[in-house]
């Protein structure tokens, strides 16, 4: 994946910083709660949402099962329509292809439609190395680019910024990248949008080359589809002479009828809108209209390996709606950067370790970045069972190096829990030592006791009480509950 | 009805009061309760932390222990343990294995307390008396995996003397998540803190749930923050009567 995030600390350490940033937590809470509320309303309007979700899942699964066939169909159709199709096994190959294509035009600047795939491969950085400047044209992406920042959300990459911060970034950095921000720029959203519009218009009017991704690729006609809210992407897809689209191989849908399902699922799940504001479709090149030199770079970059895993392959159904981010209590506190890749939140926690492997410490920490509360699964419009994949990936991580101590502790726990006599002995030992349990635990337990009190250990476990209760019952002594009073000293646990 | 108790390792060791309350309640309702002594743990911690083999062994032990009880139903007064058995045992079992067969036979009879009372025993008024203000935290596994819905609320609304307070942000996770609380202590604590604030804002004396693990996390946070709100398992409220009131 992209070089941008390499060297990030692993999730718990990165999240610690985020949790302490009160402004960030406030921004995130406000933004995610607003959008999650909107999603809830518009999803609630459809009484066939469950069926739509099932259909979305089924279409994606069927496509993934026959991916090779549909990819060939896509290539054939796109080529027939006048596009050139390229295959990229990994990020390096994809970047090399795009760089070569841009160089061939003789241009040194490209405009970009917001695209996760190009961020995943670190395309902007690769182009910069080749002396080519890539201009992001999505408003939030522009904010991230101008502030040398990383995106922190799939849909709203600058979700962690508030208006005042954005105003400051525009005023300080726009001049370096083109048309400067107007003097006396305020932080009213309309003023900020206008400043961005003026800044970007110059790019749209001069750019000869555009780079995009695609939300969907329709195999039956070789068409690519981009959904957006601002219309800036459409400018890039119409005005330039050359268009290069980098598309993950899992973005396929077989037919237009299949696409119809996602045109309902995606806007409601992601922006909480009933219909998507700007939906652009392009099929190869059309003489005299739009870009005449059209390229499609089909990107693997770990997807085939993910497809080979029975449980993990579900993640390839993802349509990047970001509903799972907006509902996730962990994302809300840790922010997107903590996930160390362009895919933050629950989907990032399962996608990144699969695309990159779990050898790195960041990647190995991601499957644990969840309380397994299940909210992500519940909102996911294509029913990706994210908790199931998380547990599956934990298994992969736990069997690897660096987990020997935990493995031993778990095995020891299993030994005790695997035999009720051993468990009983351990319980009695704990009860006997109940006064001696420190308020602050050593080792990994300290993370618990630093912020929470551990419960008091009761004088005896349930199973001891039960034996007496049985005896009393045999003697005909009613409930045998000695007045039913609690033995639990310390009152409130 | 003959009901086998799966008291769960956490309840057995740390919260025996919950087990006692369950026994009192079910016997008061006229049912026969059995406690297979060979029982230990459902394997949830091992499963969720990525130790599938260990979890498998504990699952086999569980189904073996409970298969022979001749009980009509198995009660697990912990939503996450009930969900572990019903949702995850089938995933742990190799196709056609003994575990798969035993799970298919046993899992449909495993219930959380609110399911057992409302669906199996058909009662919502269990004759309880609990003169306190209470707010209910629907734990994630109870809410999303078991789909308990309004069952716990229906039971609580029938308790005499009890005043139910609505919990803001009720459906949000408290941040416990088993080993999550240890592996990601900062995020877990931040979630717990927000949950504790929501609970305190209701003005209730007691927060109630169907899972003592979540209550341990919430209670530890409330206690640290000196919020003065007590944590009580639903079973203890339902077992409470005028003659033998639960102490809070
Ligand atoms: S995993 Fe599901 S909810 Fe999350 S972004 Fe992908 S499609 Fe949306």
């Amino acid at each position: 994946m992209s070089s941008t995030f390499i060297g990030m600390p692993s999730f718990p350490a990165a999240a610690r910083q985020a949790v302490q940033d009160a402004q960030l937590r406030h921004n995130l809470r406000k933004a995610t709660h607003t959008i999650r509320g909107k999603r809830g309303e518009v999803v609630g309007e459809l009484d066939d949402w469950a069926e739509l979700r099932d259909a979305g899942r089924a279409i994606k699964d069927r496509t993934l099962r026959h991916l090779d066939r549909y990819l060939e169909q896509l290539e054939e159709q796109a080529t027939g329509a006048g596009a050139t199709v390229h295959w990229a096994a990994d990020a390096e190959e994809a970047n090399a292809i795009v760089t070569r294509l841009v160089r061939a035009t003789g241009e040194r600047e490209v405009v970009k439609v917001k695209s996760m795939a190009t961020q995943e491969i670190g395309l902007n950085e690769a182009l910069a190395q080749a002396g080519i400047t890539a201009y992001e044209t999505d408003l939030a992406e522009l904010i991230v680019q101008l502030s040398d920042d990383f995106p922190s959300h799939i849909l709203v990459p600058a979700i962690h910024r508030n208006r005042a911060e954005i105003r400051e970034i525009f005023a300080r950095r726009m001049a370096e990248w083109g048309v400067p921000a107007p003097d006396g720029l305020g932080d009213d959203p309309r003023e900020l949008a206008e400043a961005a519009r003026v800044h970007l218009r110059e790019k749209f009017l001069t750019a000869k080359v555009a780079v995009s991704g695609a939300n969907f690729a329709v195999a039956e006609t070789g068409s690519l589809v981009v959904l957006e809210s601002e219309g800036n992407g459409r400018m890039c897809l119409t005005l330039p002479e050359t268009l290069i689209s980098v598309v993950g191989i899992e973005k396929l849908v077989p037919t237009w009828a299949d696409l119809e399902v996602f045109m309902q699922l995606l806007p409601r799940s992601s922006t909480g809108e009933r219909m998507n504001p700007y939906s652009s479709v392009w099929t190869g090149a059309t003489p005299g209209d739009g870009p005449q030199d059209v390229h499609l770079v089909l990107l693997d970059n770990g997807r085939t390996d993910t497809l080979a895993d029975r449980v993990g392959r579900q993640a390839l159904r993802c349509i990047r709606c970001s509903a799972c981010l907006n509902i996730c209590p962990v994302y809300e506190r840790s922010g997107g950067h903590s996930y160390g890749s362009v895919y933050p939140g629950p989907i990032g926690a399962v996608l990144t370790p699969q695309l990159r492997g779990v050898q790195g410490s960041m990647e190995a920490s991601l499957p644990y970045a969840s309380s397994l509360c299940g909210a992500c699964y519940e909102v996911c419009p294509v029913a990706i069972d994210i908790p199931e994949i998380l547990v599956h990936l934990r298994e992969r991580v736990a069997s690897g190096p660096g987990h020997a101590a935990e493995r031993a502790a778990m095995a020891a726990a299993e030994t005790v829990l695997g035999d009720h006599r051993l468990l009983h002995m351990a319980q009695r030992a704990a009860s006997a030592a109940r006064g001696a349990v420190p308020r602050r635990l050593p080792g990994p337990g300290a993370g618990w006791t630093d912020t929470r009190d551990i419960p008091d250990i009761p004088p005896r476990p349930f199973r001891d009480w039960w034996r007496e209760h049985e005896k009393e019952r045999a003697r005909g002594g009613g409930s045998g509950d000695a007045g039913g009073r609690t033995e639990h000293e310390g009152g409130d646990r | 009805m003959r009901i086998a108790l799966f008291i769960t390792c956490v309840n057995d060791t740390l919260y025996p009061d919950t087990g006692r309350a369950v026994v009192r309640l079910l016997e008061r309702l006229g049912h026969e309760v059995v406690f297979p002594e060979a029982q230990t743990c459902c394997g949830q911690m091992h499963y969720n932390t990525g130790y599938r083999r260990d979890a498998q062994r504990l699952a086999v032990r569980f189904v073996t222990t409970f298969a022979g009880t001749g009980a009509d139903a198995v009660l697990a007064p912990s939503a996450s343990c009930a969900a572990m058995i019903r949702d995850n045992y089938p995933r742990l079992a190799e196709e056609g294995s003994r575990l798969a067969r035993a799970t298919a036979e046993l899992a449909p009879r495993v219930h959380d307390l609110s399911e057992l009372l409302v669906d199996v025993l058909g009662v919502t008024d269990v004759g309880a008396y609990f003169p306190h203000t209470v707010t209910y935290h629907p734990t994630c596994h109870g809410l999303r995996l078991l789909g308990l819905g309004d069952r716990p609320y229906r039971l609580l609304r029938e308790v005499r003397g009890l005043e139910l307070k609505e919990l803001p942000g009720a459906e949000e996770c408290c941040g416990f998540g088993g080993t999550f609380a240890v592996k990601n202590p900062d995020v877990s604590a931040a979630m717990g803190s927000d949950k504790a604030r929501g609970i305190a804002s209701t003005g209730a004396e007691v927060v109630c749930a169907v899972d003592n693990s979540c209550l341990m996390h919430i209670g530890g946070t409330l206690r640290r923050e000196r919020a003065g709100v007590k944590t009580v398992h639903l079973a203890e409220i339902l077992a409470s009567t005028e003659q033998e009131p639960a102490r809070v």
Side-chain angles (χ1 to χ4, degrees), chain A residues 333 373 385 394 406 410 417-418 420 427 449 452-453 463 465 473 481 485-486 488 493, chain B residues 12-13 17 20 24 27 37 39-40 46 48 51 61 91 144 183 188 194 217 223-224 236:
Chain A
R333 273 95 187 169
C373 80
D385 193 340
R394 287 177 188 188
E406 184 183 276
M410 284 288 175
L417 293 171
H420 63 286
Q427 288 169 334
T449 49
R452 287 147 291 202
D453 284 347
R463 57 181 71 232
W465 174 84
R473 227 171 28 171
D481 199 6
R485 277 189 310 279
T486 177
H488 210 115
R493 324 194 156 210
Chain B
D12 186 6
T13 310
D17 288 352
R20 290 147 51 96
R24 272 175 63 200
E27 290 185 346
E37 289 211 17
Q39 65 175 273
T40 53
H46 286 92
N48 282 351
Y51 294 86
R61 185 181 175 87
R91 286 179 182 157
R144 302 197 184 88
K183 289 190 184 266
S188 166
D194 288 346
H217 173 74
R223 202 149 104 171
R224 181 60 64 94
E236 290 166 58

Side-chain angles (χ1 to χ4, degrees), chain A residues 11-12 15-16 19-20 25 29 33 36 329-330 332-334 368-375 378 385 388 391 394-395 398 403 406-407 410-411 413-414 416-420 423 427 439 444-445 447-458 460-463 465-467 469 473 479 481 483-488 490 492-493, chain B residues 5 7 9 11-20 23-24 27 32-35 37-41 45-52 54-55 57-58 61 91 140-141 144 171-173 175-177 179-191 194 212 215-217 219-221 223-224 229-233 236 244 247:
Chain A
F11 184 85
R16 179 177 313 132
V19 163
Q20 285 161 0
R25 270 178 74 183
R29 185 176 172 83
H33 280 245
R36 125 180 15 165
V330 174
E332 185 185 322
R333 273 95 187 169
S334 66
Y368 301 95
S370 165
S371 65
L372 303 181
C373 80
E378 194 175 59
D385 193 340
E388 182 189 23
V391 169
R394 287 177 188 188
E395 210 184 308
H403 275 68
E406 184 183 276
R407 240 182 346 258
M410 284 288 175
E414 196 269 316
V416 173
L417 293 171
D419 184 332
H420 63 286
L423 174 61
Q427 288 169 334
R439 280 278 157 242
W448 173 273
T449 49
D450 281 353
T451 48
R452 287 147 291 202
D453 284 347
I454 49 173
D456 298 320
I457 295 171
R460 54 181 188 161
F462 172 83
R463 57 181 71 232
W465 174 84
W466 173 262
R467 281 187 187 165
H469 176 71
R473 227 171 28 171
S479 80
D481 199 6
R485 277 189 310 279
T486 177
E487 287 188 348
H488 210 115
D492 64 344
R493 324 194 156 210
Chain B
L5 285 188
I7 221 64
C9 58
N11 286 331
D12 186 6
T13 310
L14 293 174
Y15 299 107
D17 288 352
T18 297
R20 290 147 51 96
V23 175
R24 272 175 63 200
E27 290 185 346
E32 186 197 351
V33 178
V34 293
F35 176 77
E37 289 211 17
Q39 65 175 273
T40 53
C41 166
M45 176 181 76
H46 286 92
Y47 178 79
N48 282 351
T49 319
Y51 294 86
R52 189 184 171 86
D54 292 322
R57 277 194 288 272
L58 291 168
R61 185 181 175 87
R91 286 179 182 157
C140 300
H141 289 180
R144 302 197 184 88
E171 302 201 344
E172 273 181 45
C173 178
F176 174 61
T179 41
F180 173 72
V182 176
K183 289 190 184 266
N184 282 286
D186 299 281
V187 180
S188 166
M191 288 161 69
D194 288 346
N212 273 328
L215 285 178
M216 174 173 77
H217 173 74
T221 308
R223 202 149 104 171
R224 181 60 64 94
V229 188
K230 307 286 196 297
T231 51
V232 175
H233 192 285
E236 290 166 58
E244 294 178 16
R247 207 172 68 180

Side-chain angles (χ1 to χ4, degrees), chain A residues 388-404:
Chain A
E388 182 189 23
I389 311 176
L390 288 166
V391 169
H392 175 71
L393 294 174
R394 287 177 188 188
E395 210 184 308
R396 193 176 293 173
V397 174
S399 62
H403 275 68

Side-chain angles (χ1 to χ4, degrees), chain B residues 16-246:
Chain B
D17 288 352
T18 297
R20 290 147 51 96
V22 165
V23 175
R24 272 175 63 200
L25 171 66
L26 294 176
E27 290 185 346
R28 188 174 82 214
L29 295 173
H31 300 286
E32 186 197 351
V33 178
V34 293
F35 176 77
E37 289 211 17
Q39 65 175 273
T40 53
C41 166
C42 64
Q44 187 186 176
M45 176 181 76
H46 286 92
Y47 178 79
N48 282 351
T49 319
Y51 294 86
R52 189 184 171 86
R53 291 266 160 246
D54 292 322
Q56 244 164 7
R57 277 194 288 272
L58 291 168
V60 168
R61 185 181 175 87
F62 178 88
V63 295
T64 318
T65 305
F66 280 88
T69 55
D72 306 295
V74 177
L75 167 64
S78 154
S80 60
C81 300
M84 172 69 196
I85 299 156
R86 286 212 313 236
D87 267 44
N88 295 332
Y89 277 17
R91 286 179 182 157
L92 270 179
E94 322 288 346
E95 219 172 295
S97 65
R98 197 163 60 91
L99 179 58
R101 284 195 305 278
T103 300
E105 195 276 319
L106 188 67
R109 282 189 286 131
V110 175
H111 303 283
D112 143 82
L113 180 64
S114 66
E115 288 173 330
L116 180 82
L117 292 170
V118 177
D119 301 350
V120 182
L121 304 179
V123 282
T124 46
D125 184 350
V126 296
Y129 172 73
F130 190 76
H132 301 280
T133 46
V134 174
T135 191
Y136 177 75
H137 167 60
T139 63
C140 300
H141 289 180
L143 183 72
R144 302 197 184 88
L145 294 185
L146 295 183
L148 296 183
D150 66 350
R151 292 179 186 82
Y153 299 96
R154 283 166 65 193
L155 290 160
L156 285 167
R157 275 197 289 265
E158 299 288 347
V159 175
R160 270 168 303 115
L162 185 150
E163 191 190 333
L164 196 56
K165 300 274 193 185
E166 199 184 321
L167 177 62
E171 302 201 344
E172 273 181 45
C173 178
C174 70
F176 174 61
T179 41
F180 173 72
V182 176
K183 289 190 184 266
N184 282 286
D186 299 281
V187 180
S188 166
M191 288 161 69
S193 212
D194 288 346
K195 181 57 76 179
R197 198 170 314 125
I199 291 166
S201 79
T202 65
E205 297 162 69
V206 165
V207 55
C208 147
V210 289
D211 211 317
N212 273 328
S213 312
C214 307
L215 285 178
M216 174 173 77
H217 173 74
I218 293 171
T221 308
L222 286 166
R223 202 149 104 171
R224 181 60 64 94
E225 294 180 1
R226 305 195 185 288
V229 188
K230 307 286 196 297
T231 51
V232 175
H233 192 285
L234 176 71
E236 290 166 58
I237 292 179
L238 298 182
S240 176
T241 58
E242 266 109 339
Q243 294 76 36
E244 294 178 16

Side-chain angles (χ1 to χ4, degrees), chain A residues 169-311:
Chain A
I169 292 165
F170 278 10
R172 192 162 46 85
R173 297 296 303 276
M174 265 183 173
E176 281 171 54
W177 286 80
V179 177
D183 289 335
L185 177 69
D187 65 4
D188 176 62
R190 235 173 315 143
E191 254 183 275
L192 294 173
E194 180 60 19
R197 211 170 68 86
V198 173
H199 178 82
L200 289 171
R201 193 186 306 156
E202 179 207 36
K203 304 281 183 279
F204 294 136
L205 294 176
T206 53
K208 299 266 191 301
V209 182
V211 174
S212 85
N215 293 86
F216 300 98
V218 186
E220 71 176 342
T221 53
S223 309
L224 299 179
V225 184
V226 154
L227 308 188
E228 41 146 1
S229 300
E230 295 166 4
N232 289 343
R234 177 166 294 183
M235 302 287 276
C236 303
L237 298 167
T238 343
L239 296 176
E241 291 159 12
T242 302
L243 172 59
I244 306 164
S245 304
V246 183
V247 181
I249 53 172
E250 85 285 16
K251 293 280 162 186
L252 267 186
V253 293
T255 67
W256 284 85
D258 296 325
L259 184 67
E260 183 197 320
V261 171
F262 299 104
M263 293 302 276
Q264 298 176 71
L265 285 174
L266 185 55
R268 284 182 200 256
S269 301
S270 72
T271 46
E273 286 164 306
R274 296 184 181 88
M275 203 180 139
N276 189 66
Y278 290 89
S279 309
S280 306
V281 181
W282 64 105
T283 312
T286 307
D289 184 17
Q292 296 300 296
D293 191 16
V294 176
H295 297 267
L296 166 56
V297 182
L298 288 166
L299 176 71
D300 187 321
N301 206 33
R303 286 160 174 78
T304 309
D305 291 341
T306 306
L307 192 58
D309 186 279
R310 199 182 47 79
V311 176

Side-chain angles (χ1 to χ4, degrees), chain A residues 20-38:
Chain A
Q20 285 161 0
D21 185 338
Q23 179 69 57
L24 173 71
R25 270 178 74 183
H26 175 80
N27 294 352
L28 279 173
R29 185 176 172 83
K30 202 164 156 229
T32 55
H33 280 245
T34 307
I35 196 161
R36 125 180 15 165
K38 264 175 81 184

